[in-house]
Amino acid sequence: MDSTSLAGAIRSANSKALEILLQGDPVLIDVLPARDLIPELKEHTILHAGPPIEWDRMCGPMRGAVAGVAVFEGWAGDLDEAGVQAAKGCFEFHPNHHFSAVGPMTGLTTCSQPLLVVENRATGNRAYCTVNEGLGKVMRFGGNDESVRDRLAWIRDSLGPALGTALRCCGGIPLRPLVTRGLTMGDEMHQRNVACSSLLLRELAPALASAVADHSDLSEMLAFMGSNDQFFLNIAMAMGKSIMDPVRNIEQSTVVTAMTRNGTDFGIRISGLGDEWFTAPVEMPAGLYFPGFSAADANPDMGDSTIIETIGLGGFAMAAAPAVAGFVGAGSVAEAAGITARMREITLGEHPEWTIVSENYQGVPTGIDIRLVVETGIVPTINTGIAHREPGIGQVGAGVVKAPMACFEKALRALGERLGLS
Amino acid sequence: MSDQNDAPDTGRMCPELLQSPPRVINVGLAVFAADLDAQDVDVIHVDWRPPAGGDEGLARLLSMLAD
Amino acid sequence: MSVTVNTVRAGVFLDSVVLMQISRELTAIQGVEDAALMMATPANWDILSDAGLLEEGIMAGPGDLLVAVRAQDRAIADSTLQRAAELMERPAQRNDTPQELRPLTLRSACRQLPDANLALISVPGDFAGAEARKALRAGLNVMIFSDNVPLAEEISLKREARDLGLVVMGPDCGTAIIDGVPLAFANVVPRGDIAIVGASGTGIQEVSCLIARAGEGISHAIGVGSRDLTEAVDAISTLTVLDWLERDGATHHIVLISKPPAPSVVDRIAEFIRRSSKSYTVCLVGSDNLVLPDNAKLTTTLKDAAAAAVKNSKGFEALPAVQRAPAAGRYVRGLYSGGTLAAEAQVVFLSHRQPVLSNAPVPGAGLFTSERTNHIMIDLGDDQFTRGRPHPMIDPAVRDEPIHAALSDPDVGAVLLDVVIGFGAHADPAGHLAGLLDRHGRSDSVVIASVTGTDEDPQVRARQVSVLERAGVMVAPSNADAAELALACLNIG
């Protein structure tokens, strides 16, 4: 193929990819047990965040979470036994991404956990994510003691089914307009979700009240969701997955369809390169720490939550959330605007509805193009929570982390080979 | 061959570039943009750096994949 | 015992002018022997290594900025590195846009200025072609200031431009004036109805300034790149521009400036001129064996071209009276920053039947290699001198050593210099020269210069002239006149 027709082919492939991306119409429709949604998710199978990884390379928090979830599912009697089983290879590990799912931080998904279901009404596909456990000592940060497992059980037995009933009753909650409002209220949907979490609770509360007969149960659920500023995070993640999955596998497209980390490796997938993962070691986040903690305590970058940046939110929408910019260092509104401006250099388009008030309603930068990343040297900027490197302690700070350039360079070279260039 | 070398007939009108002060995108030496700015010419200076951080192989690949 | 220290700033890029300015400032520090800031490309690595500016074992890649200092002692070296860091932090230029919102690519710049119609490209030659292609595909005309762009790339770009109804000015296009706006290295000249099309930047500058000083003005001055009129490029840009000017109501006369073109190209140009309703002056510096239609006049010097273009050629100043120079030397050494100015000087000498050598010889001149006992005209802006070094028009200091050498050479009776002012040029080239002459002290050679510029230029031509005259330089009214004056001073021709 000569250079002008290749140029044309890439341009139209990317055009198509961007069109599908921007047409995404995500609706939160249900909450159901994982085993009912993902047939492959049998006993002893654990889905995790990030690109593929085995036990021997997992970081501390992920190992802690694996042990905890094994006990929670009843595959091991206690945490030590779980650890032994894991080391012996008794569990099968797969990325969430391979099964239409995503999970924050350690992101472990197992058969009995209830999963949020988001359907992309434009394309018909669905994506899943666990329900957010709350802050502090939770499994997504590697927490695994009895309090963690009890909470997971309550989510499995009470909150999950109630949410499912409520959502089925009210016909689902369209997420696109909700996010549009959240952006005007200072959310970026990764590190900051308080507005969207509040808007969601407002929409859900009546149906939830109908679905839960017992007042004290209802009260407990409302308090649980109401006290969690990050409740919407998991919904935003499933939303991102439902939007990006239909963008996969467009021949010659250079658009990034997934970015994700497992605490050891950072992985990306490109539309024109199918299901291949391009990985490189994760980087350390840079940010602010809660009192008593410092960078020495930080775990390397982890979680499927970078699906949020992949659709143009999170770090990409930082100009809408100047409060988050405080974690970047300079803390100024200009700094936040600067980051979004940088992300415009590496994206192909703008979202038509998700706009930033302070930028005269310019849409968030969407459609990451690996060619632009490699050319400019600008890598995606990600807003992230920072976990303690020891399992079970929880979040110790929040900040910004960069996607490793090596992933994009590898992908570009692979694309060159695939197209017969050298 | 010879009529390919005649300038294209883009209409009998004077070409747009010559009809008004140029509106410039400056890629390279900052002093050129500064001089134009001082004359109140519409100019944007690109904060350019070598593509792919100076890696020649990647830069070549990028130029082949450019559209 | 000298100390050499380096700092590597990964992924930092600053343009060559900024780097050169900082290097100059560092070198001027007491106790600093040499200093340079360069991108650590393989070519620059060799330059730094040869200059003894690399620390043992230092590593850097082509995307990194290397700061190198050699000083008398460690303390000075370290404090100089510190000073370099401070200078690099300084904002590169005044501009409303805060650093973090400045576009990093042509693509995002187009979004900020959607009705842009011209890209001015002055990045290193290896990258200029790719940027030009992006600009064309974004619907912009392109002016490529950069040199060292491969010929094949130039041809490909110009063909693509032609298909799109756009023009590529360049590569190696230093000068343009579009609708009265000076671009890159250009002078402030009045508006008028004379257009200039040139394969030479300083040629355009000299002719536009002479026309201005004769009281007339310029509609547009468009550089087409030094190779446009060769057989390989086949005048693609020249023909586009001539066609545009044919339809420009503001232009009545066109001056075309070039080195002698390929015969096939000459025919094509002549054919165009024949069919044109306008009048032309064709200046092929160094060639006069050409038959042109009646609406075109042929000249071999820039001065004659300007005179032919204006309606009243009495606007040209007379040569100053010759002062008998007590020069023992029999030869003239011309040291030029403008290639066409060096060529014009050769043409003047040849017209007086004086043999002359040059590193860029016109037809009839010989190729200079290392001889000294000849008239020699050096184009210091030639590619051989500018790889990895600033162009002498940007940094006049590049010419200092050759000037000192000429002044000290007993065979040299007269030194010829061009002093080019205007946008892009040094803030005070006359002052720099005066300082150099002062430091050199007594010399047996006479120094003769011309100042290409106008009084409206930032440097103000009249002031530059008086600074030169106070320093003992004889200032001629044009570059051609300076060459005549040199011959007269040595009683030749």
Side-chain angles (χ1 to χ4, degrees):
Chain A
M1 193 188 276
D2 70 60
S3 68
T4 4
S5 45
L6 177 60
I10 294 178
R11 196 180 323 125
S12 75
N14 284 342
S15 228
K16 182 170 168 205
L18 196 63
E19 192 182 339
I20 295 173
L21 203 172
L22 297 179
Q23 277 174 3
D25 183 19
V27 182
L28 176 64
I29 57 169
D30 208 343
V31 176
L32 290 169
R35 67 166 65 80
D36 294 349
L37 297 167
I38 306 170
E40 298 89 337
L41 203 49
K42 300 181 285 290
E43 306 287 330
H44 307 286
T45 303
I46 301 176
L47 307 185
H48 60 79
I53 190 166
E54 294 301 332
W55 172 259
D56 55 329
R57 293 184 69 235
M58 286 184 184
C59 63
M62 194 170 278
R63 286 189 171 191
V66 166
V69 89
V71 175
F72 168 72
E73 292 285 1
W75 303 329
D78 59 43
L79 296 171
D80 289 331
E81 196 192 323
V84 167
Q85 288 185 9
K88 278 210 298 222
C90 297
F91 307 129
E92 214 178 284
F93 295 108
H94 298 282
N96 281 309
H97 265 289
H98 291 188
F99 295 97
S100 306
V102 281
M105 287 296 179
T106 55
L108 301 191
T109 308
T110 50
C111 48
S112 75
Q113 291 182 66
L115 304 182
L116 300 155
V117 181
V118 174
E119 182 177 88
N120 184 341
R121 292 260 159 96
T123 41
N125 59 297
R126 294 177 176 183
Y128 318 116
C129 187
T130 50
V131 175
N132 195 285
E133 304 160 83
L135 312 166
K137 191 190 289 187
V138 291
M139 193 175 68
R140 75 172 178 281
F141 288 111
N144 54 17
D145 67 13
E146 200 172 334
S147 71
V148 174
R149 302 195 302 268
D150 286 348
R151 190 184 305 108
L152 286 174
W154 175 78
I155 292 175
R156 175 192 64 203
D157 300 331
S158 294
L159 181 62
L163 286 173
T165 307
L167 285 166
R168 289 190 296 273
C169 252
C170 73
I173 297 177
L175 298 174
R176 205 161 137 137
L178 200 150
V179 168
T180 303
R181 291 193 72 186
L183 279 170
T184 69
M185 296 163 72
D187 275 4
E188 34 74 284
M189 276 49 104
H190 192 156
Q191 241 192 76
R192 195 169 163 102
N193 277 288
V194 60
C196 284
S197 300
S198 307
L199 292 171
L200 178 80
L201 190 53
R202 240 168 53 150
E203 284 206 42
L204 212 42
L208 197 61
S210 300
V212 181
D214 185 309
H215 269 196
S216 68
D217 284 348
L218 178 62
S219 180
E220 197 181 358
M221 292 177 198
L222 291 174
F224 178 81
M225 292 192 289
S227 65
N228 182 359
D229 282 356
Q230 283 289 73
F231 188 77
F232 191 79
L233 173 69
N234 295 40
I235 295 157
M237 288 177 59
M239 171 184 78
K241 179 70 171 164
S242 77
I243 289 172
M244 287 317 299
D245 267 356
V247 185
R248 291 162 53 200
N249 295 310
I250 299 170
E251 218 36 66
Q252 277 135 25
S253 170
T254 51
V255 170
V256 174
T257 54
M259 292 193 292
T260 185
R261 343 56 123 206
N262 56 30
T264 310
D265 299 319
F266 194 111
I268 66 173
R269 271 173 159 179
I270 314 304
S271 182
L273 290 166
D275 289 336
E276 191 174 346
W277 286 105
F278 298 94
T279 62
V282 285
E283 309 207 346
M284 291 299 291
L288 296 181
Y289 290 87
F290 302 155
F293 297 105
S294 74
D297 302 310
N299 195 65
D301 195 31
M302 187 167 57
D304 288 324
S305 54
T306 30
I307 195 71
I308 292 168
E309 273 77 14
T310 311
I311 57 170
L313 299 171
F316 283 52
M318 191 114 70
V324 166
F327 296 104
V328 176
S332 65
V333 174
E335 184 80 28
I339 290 178
T340 294
R342 285 284 172 266
M343 298 302 103
R344 291 194 194 285
E345 296 280 359
I346 59 173
T347 46
L348 292 172
E350 288 178 9
H351 201 282
E353 268 172 54
W354 293 343
T355 60
I356 301 175
V357 179
S358 64
E359 293 197 330
N360 254 334
Y361 297 94
Q362 260 194 297
V364 298
T366 323
I368 302 166
D369 185 336
I370 52 171
R371 298 171 301 169
L372 296 173
V373 172
V374 175
E375 180 190 347
T376 60
I378 307 288
V379 284
T381 297
I382 296 149
N383 288 347
T384 187
I386 305 174
H388 199 287
R389 55 171 60 252
E390 296 300 319
I393 296 177
Q395 187 171 355
V396 294
V400 155
V401 73
K402 301 236 167 110
M405 179 56 82
C407 295
F408 300 88
E409 289 177 346
K410 281 186 192 179
L412 194 74
R413 291 201 173 96
L415 188 69
E417 265 182 53
R418 176 119 152 192
L419 296 172
L421 314 165
S422 54
Chain B
M1 184 63 193
S2 65
D3 54 16
Q4 271 181 290
N5 272 335
D6 293 341
D9 184 12
T10 49
R12 286 286 101 201
M13 282 177 44
C14 177
E16 198 272 324
L17 180 66
L18 303 183
Q19 287 182 319
S20 58
R23 297 171 298 281
V24 184
I25 292 180
N26 187 56
V27 188
L29 302 178
V31 62
F32 292 160
D35 286 342
L36 288 169
D37 205 38
Q39 299 175 73
D40 283 325
V41 172
D42 278 340
V43 56
I44 299 264
H45 177 67
V46 171
D47 210 357
W48 186 87
R49 65 262 336 250
D55 183 319
E56 273 181 35
L58 283 174
R60 210 174 318 121
L61 186 52
L62 283 172
S63 66
M64 290 190 269
L65 292 169
D67 69 281
Chain C
M1 181 65 187
S2 298
V3 174
T4 302
V5 289
N6 299 149
T7 319
V8 177
R9 298 283 294 269
V12 171
F13 179 84
L14 293 170
D15 78 44
S16 55
V17 172
V18 172
L19 293 181
M20 182 273 300
Q21 286 167 340
I22 298 176
S23 303
R24 287 257 152 259
E25 213 174 308
L26 298 180
T27 320
I29 294 174
Q30 185 84 287
V32 171
E33 292 170 12
D34 200 358
L37 276 76
M38 290 184 132
M39 298 307 294
T41 60
N44 288 346
W45 196 265
D46 290 340
I47 292 168
L48 290 167
S49 178
D50 291 345
L53 279 169
L54 290 180
E55 253 189 71
E56 185 92 30
I58 192 78
M59 306 252 279
D64 301 332
L65 176 59
L66 189 72
V67 184
V69 174
R70 194 177 67 247
Q72 282 167 6
D73 61 48
R74 183 92 216 184
I76 296 175
D78 286 342
S79 69
T80 305
L81 281 183
Q82 175 62 26
R83 181 78 186 118
E86 284 162 26
L87 291 170
M88 283 176 358
E89 290 312 312
R90 227 171 33 195
Q93 46 157 143
R94 74 181 150 76
N95 197 308
D96 292 311
T97 327
Q99 169 76 52
E100 53 270 357
L101 294 179
R102 295 237 191 96
L104 296 180
T105 57
L106 188 101
R107 196 183 73 109
S108 55
C110 286
R111 283 192 294 211
Q112 288 189 27
L113 191 62
D115 58 351
N117 60 4
L118 178 68
L120 171 49
I121 296 171
S122 54
V123 299
D126 291 339
F127 303 106
E131 295 300 315
R133 199 170 301 278
K134 283 184 218 168
L136 289 174
R137 292 186 183 172
L140 303 174
N141 295 286
V142 181
M143 176 174 168
I144 306 179
F145 176 87
S146 320
D147 59 9
N148 289 307
V149 174
L151 177 64
E153 202 157 18
E154 174 177 351
I155 295 169
S156 161
L157 286 165
K158 285 181 172 176
R159 285 183 180 158
E160 187 162 351
R162 181 180 56 200
D163 291 343
L164 294 168
L166 299 167
V167 74
V168 172
M169 301 184 278
D172 200 17
C173 171
T175 304
I177 301 174
I178 297 193
D179 199 49
V181 174
L183 292 148
F185 286 78
N187 303 90
V188 181
V189 295
R191 294 302 296 276
D193 62 4
I194 302 170
I196 308 175
V197 181
S200 148
T202 43
I204 292 175
Q205 288 188 268
E206 176 79 348
V207 170
S208 65
C209 289
L210 292 176
I211 288 172
R213 294 201 340 254
E216 295 200 24
I218 304 296
S219 55
H220 312 280
I222 301 178
V224 292
S226 50
R227 294 183 296 217
D228 197 64
L229 291 154
T230 57
E231 190 152 8
V233 185
D234 208 21
I236 297 176
S237 293
T238 303
L239 288 164
T240 299
V241 172
L242 288 178
D243 182 67
W244 286 5
L245 292 170
E246 182 69 15
R247 295 183 260 140
D248 176 34
T251 297
H252 295 119
H253 184 87
I254 294 109
V255 178
L256 178 64
I257 306 170
S258 171
K259 293 192 300 243
S264 58
V265 172
V266 170
D267 290 343
R268 215 192 292 289
I269 304 282
E271 182 53 35
F272 185 96
I273 291 175
R274 183 167 310 129
R275 289 193 269 119
S276 165
S277 59
K278 307 202 178 182
S279 59
Y280 292 77
T281 300
V282 177
C283 176
L284 305 174
V285 185
S287 159
D288 58 4
N289 59 345
L290 218 67
V291 177
L292 290 174
D294 294 339
N295 57 335
K297 215 179 296 179
L298 183 67
T299 73
T300 55
T301 65
L302 302 167
K303 177 190 172 185
D304 289 344
V310 299
K311 295 176 195 61
N312 174 17
S313 58
K314 295 201 197 73
F316 284 76
E317 298 149 44
L319 267 181
V322 171
Q323 301 149 22
R324 208 36 142 234
R330 293 183 294 135
Y331 298 109
V332 177
R333 181 84 51 88
L335 298 165
Y336 288 91
S337 55
T340 310
L341 302 178
E344 186 180 38
Q346 293 173 58
V347 169
V348 169
F349 272 55
L350 291 171
S351 72
H352 288 274
R353 297 183 210 292
Q354 287 299 307
V356 62
L357 304 180
S358 174
N359 61 323
V362 301
L367 180 64
F368 169 73
T369 47
S370 58
E371 302 85 330
R372 281 177 30 213
T373 55
N374 286 88
H375 302 308
I376 300 164
M377 305 296 167
I378 302 288
D379 170 16
L380 289 162
D382 193 55
D383 281 4
Q384 70 184 117
F385 295 110
T386 58
R387 268 218 161 259
R389 308 198 64 188
H391 194 282
M393 277 181 46
I394 294 177
D395 183 14
V398 166
R399 205 163 48 164
D400 289 359
E401 256 322 295
I403 295 176
H404 279 300
L407 291 171
S408 310
D409 189 331
D411 291 314
V412 173
V415 178
L416 261 179
L417 301 169
D418 59 345
V419 176
V420 182
I421 59 172
F423 283 111
H426 191 267
D428 184 14
H432 179 90
L433 204 49
L436 185 157
L437 293 173
D438 186 54
R439 280 192 304 279
H440 186 88
R442 229 196 71 79
S443 163
D444 285 335
S445 320
V446 63
V447 180
I448 301 165
S450 67
V451 179
T452 301
T454 65
D455 290 341
E456 284 65 46
D457 282 334
Q459 301 88 342
V460 186
R461 183 178 180 274
R463 260 194 246 137
Q464 294 282 292
V465 171
S466 71
V467 166
L468 290 170
E469 286 174 341
R470 275 203 306 274
V473 176
M474 292 184 69
V475 182
S478 74
N479 182 65
D481 287 326
E484 297 276 359
L485 200 53
L487 290 168
C489 279
L490 298 191
N491 238 343
I492 309 166

